[in-house]
Amino acid sequence: MAQNDTVTRILDTAEVLFAERGFAETSLRTITSKAKVNLAAVNYHFGSKKSLIQAVFARYLDPFTERFHRALDELEAHYGDQAIPLERLLETMASSVLEVPAERNSLKVFMRLLGLAYSQAQGHLRRYIQEEYGSVFTRFTALIRQATPELPDSERFWRLHFMLGSVIFTLSGLDALRDIAEKDYAEHVTVRDLVRRLRPVVVAAMQAPVPAHLSYASQEV
Amino acid sequence: MAQNDTVTRILDTAEVLFAERGFAETSLRTITSKAKVNLAAVNYHFGSKKSLIQAVFARYLDPFTERFHRALDELEAHYGDQAIPLERLLETMASSVLEVPAERNSLKVFMRLLGLAYSQAQGHLRRYIQEEYGSVFTRFTALIRQATPELPDSERFWRLHFMLGSVIFTLSGLDALRDIAEKDYAEHVTVRDLVRRLRPVVVAAMQAPVPAHLSYASQEV
DNA sequence: CTAGATTTCAAACAAATGTTTATAACTGGA
DNA sequence: TCCAGTTATAAACATTTGTTTGAAATCTAG
């Protein structure tokens, strides 16, 4: 039991430190000392710092993808060969994300990690996530495609990333933004509040009119 | 002349390296060797690595804020005491951003740097940008407020950051996304194309209906 | 209880980092 | 020409980094 305890204590400490300061800015010594664990334990249990980073992600993404796949299964079963409405797809994604770290209060850590995965250099991380979890994203985008048949493929591709940016950017910078919001508007915002606010925005964005010039050849304004 | 040449060579090299790999992941030795400049030159001309990072940002943000302020002056003069339409404000912001690095092909570098400013730890950078360039953002948000009087203040605050996330996230990850888009949709996307695609999306997002439960006390779905 | 495997630990290692120093080279005005 | 003042350079400095080592401690199965 004690050996497993070391592993989880490392993971618990590493994930909050990574989320706070990034990967390169977090040293193994900072992690191990705060986790009250010997320095060599990381290399013993994980092999390298890179592998530790990947393990931190796997602990969130594994349960998420499993849950998300199951939820999509149910949706598909319910709608048969009809297209699943966009709102339902977005809700399903949101609740799958929200449910994963429900036990801990670490949703914000999860989102911050996702933001870092995109923004930090760490080429190995992007490769790892793509190879390990790319399929669920592919499945999701295929369903989104059926839900928005009026959009050209490339336009939908870009809009999905616009919205991904909204979510990741806002939620991963939540702490700083929340401080401002509390000071200026005297309201305390939870992650769930933000998700509620995001939904109508994302739907409206996905359904915005397609500029005419995009349907044909590109043209100057 | 030669002394100034060293400074700009350092800045030119540092900005692309920072944009590619982040700040902590870019060493002074990498910068100086690629810039064909002595290692000590950075500390001599800039004082420290932190100051170099700030100088890289200042070289973009100084001309941007000046141009943006001028553009807002013109808009205000034209519209008098009427509210400036949302579309005009967004267009003005976009063109101010686009015009700054027009001489070089470094708009993508600029956006990537902005993304890093938010996502990387580098507390000193956020503080520096806030103190040095916060006023222009304040002015802009005040105008956005007049353009969207139907939005509650806090809702507008969050939506602005949703949209900021879309822009920074997409444009700062442009290279990777462009590769996918070219492979899958056989289209080469320029930054200007993306800005054209972003405009209707951002407008629709800002004008999305406000959920009823946000007007009063928060309530479960 | 004991032998073998697993885990912990302190110490050391090599490499890389930002910064400083002392000296040399260069610059432009008297 | 000569000499302050500025800039360039090589070398060294003190830290910090991820990783490895070998012995001690702990656990586990027979």
Side-chain angles (χ1 to χ4, degrees):
Chain A
M1 308 281 130
Q3 66 276 24
N4 188 357
D5 188 47
T6 299
V7 168
T8 51
R9 201 153 63 228
I10 291 176
L11 286 172
D12 288 346
T13 313
E15 72 175 24
V16 327
L17 288 177
F18 284 154
E20 280 174 2
R21 322 137 89 116
F23 305 115
E25 295 89 343
T26 306
S27 73
L28 293 186
R29 281 171 176 81
T30 312
I31 296 173
T32 53
S33 75
K34 191 159 248 171
K36 291 191 172 66
V37 154
N38 188 273
L39 167 63
V42 169
N43 288 279
Y44 176 76
H45 285 287
F46 296 92
S48 69
K49 187 181 180 182
K50 282 185 183 179
S51 307
L52 170 63
I53 295 175
Q54 296 175 358
V56 166
F57 275 87
R59 204 162 58 135
Y60 281 97
L61 291 181
D62 283 342
F64 164 72
T65 51
E66 191 196 321
R67 195 178 296 259
F68 192 38
H69 264 130
R70 264 210 308 270
L72 291 181
D73 289 343
E74 287 176 21
L75 268 186
E76 283 188 324
H78 183 271
Y79 280 91
D81 46 358
Q82 292 178 47
I84 304 168
L86 180 61
E87 288 87 344
R88 298 300 310 271
L89 285 170
L90 297 175
E91 277 167 23
T92 302
M93 170 138 209
S95 56
S96 295
V97 171
L98 289 174
E99 284 169 13
V100 169
E103 51 272 18
R104 282 179 271 158
N105 63 341
S106 49
L107 178 57
K108 118 191 146 189
V109 168
F110 185 23
M111 298 313 297
R112 186 105 179 88
L113 289 176
L114 276 188
L116 290 179
Y118 270 87
S119 64
Q120 301 261 99
Q122 301 293 342
H124 71 98
L125 222 199
R126 258 197 288 271
R127 253 174 282 129
Y128 171 77
I129 290 181
Q130 171 61 32
E131 284 167 15
E132 212 74 14
Y133 308 99
S135 67
V136 71
F137 189 71
T138 303
R139 181 181 181 189
F140 180 67
T141 53
L143 291 173
I144 292 278
R145 182 169 194 246
Q146 298 171 24
T148 55
E150 73 284 1
L151 284 182
D153 281 356
S154 66
E155 181 69 13
R156 178 173 39 242
F157 169 83
W158 287 109
R159 289 193 181 183
L160 268 180
H161 281 90
F162 295 160
M163 295 306 102
L164 198 60
S166 292
V167 175
I168 290 183
F169 180 88
T170 314
L171 294 187
S172 83
L174 180 57
D175 278 358
L177 295 177
R178 173 155 46 198
D179 289 347
I180 302 174
E182 275 185 33
K183 190 161 62 69
D184 290 2
Y185 312 113
E187 64 170 19
H188 184 83
V189 190
T190 68
V191 175
R192 290 190 151 68
D193 291 332
L194 268 196
V195 172
R196 261 198 294 273
R197 286 185 196 271
L198 270 164
R199 197 181 35 177
V201 172
V202 171
V203 171
M206 290 300 291
Q207 295 173 340
V210 181
H213 62 82
L214 286 177
S215 311
Y216 302 97
S218 167
Q219 181 185 342
E220 272 305 312
V221 176
Chain B
M1 308 282 130
Q3 65 276 25
N4 188 355
D5 187 47
T6 299
V7 168
T8 52
R9 202 153 61 226
I10 291 176
L11 286 173
D12 288 346
T13 312
E15 73 176 24
V16 331
L17 288 177
F18 285 154
E20 281 174 2
R21 322 136 88 119
F23 306 115
E25 295 89 341
T26 305
S27 72
L28 293 185
R29 281 171 176 81
T30 311
I31 296 173
T32 52
S33 76
K34 191 159 246 169
K36 292 192 172 65
V37 154
N38 187 272
L39 167 62
V42 169
N43 288 279
Y44 176 76
H45 285 287
F46 296 93
S48 68
K49 187 181 180 182
K50 282 185 182 178
S51 306
L52 170 61
I53 295 176
Q54 296 175 358
V56 165
F57 275 86
R59 203 161 60 135
Y60 280 98
L61 290 181
D62 283 343
F64 164 73
T65 51
E66 190 197 320
R67 195 176 295 257
F68 193 38
H69 264 129
R70 263 210 309 269
L72 291 181
D73 288 343
E74 288 176 20
L75 268 185
E76 283 186 324
H78 183 271
Y79 280 92
D81 46 358
Q82 292 178 46
I84 305 168
L86 180 61
E87 286 87 345
R88 296 301 309 271
L89 285 171
L90 297 175
E91 276 166 23
T92 302
M93 168 138 209
S95 56
S96 295
V97 170
L98 288 175
E99 283 169 12
V100 169
E103 50 272 18
R104 282 179 271 158
N105 62 342
S106 50
L107 177 57
K108 117 192 148 190
V109 168
F110 184 23
M111 298 315 296
R112 186 106 180 88
L113 289 176
L114 277 187
L116 290 179
Y118 270 88
S119 63
Q120 301 261 98
Q122 302 291 344
H124 72 97
L125 223 198
R126 257 196 288 272
R127 251 174 283 128
Y128 170 77
I129 290 181
Q130 170 62 32
E131 284 167 15
E132 212 75 13
Y133 308 99
S135 67
V136 71
F137 189 71
T138 303
R139 182 181 181 190
F140 180 66
T141 53
L143 291 173
I144 291 279
R145 182 168 194 248
Q146 298 171 24
T148 55
E150 73 283 1
L151 284 182
D153 281 357
S154 66
E155 181 69 13
R156 179 173 39 242
F157 170 83
W158 287 110
R159 289 192 182 184
L160 267 179
H161 281 90
F162 295 159
M163 295 305 101
L164 199 59
S166 291
V167 175
I168 289 183
F169 180 89
T170 314
L171 294 188
S172 84
L174 179 57
D175 278 359
L177 296 177
R178 175 155 44 198
D179 288 348
I180 303 174
E182 276 187 31
K183 191 161 62 69
D184 290 2
Y185 313 113
E187 64 169 18
H188 183 83
V189 190
T190 68
V191 175
R192 290 190 149 68
D193 290 332
L194 268 197
V195 172
R196 262 197 293 271
R197 288 184 195 272
L198 271 165
R199 197 181 35 177
V201 171
V202 170
V203 171
M206 291 299 291
Q207 295 173 339
V210 181
H213 62 83
L214 285 178
S215 310
Y216 302 97
S218 167
Q219 180 185 341
E220 272 305 313
V221 176

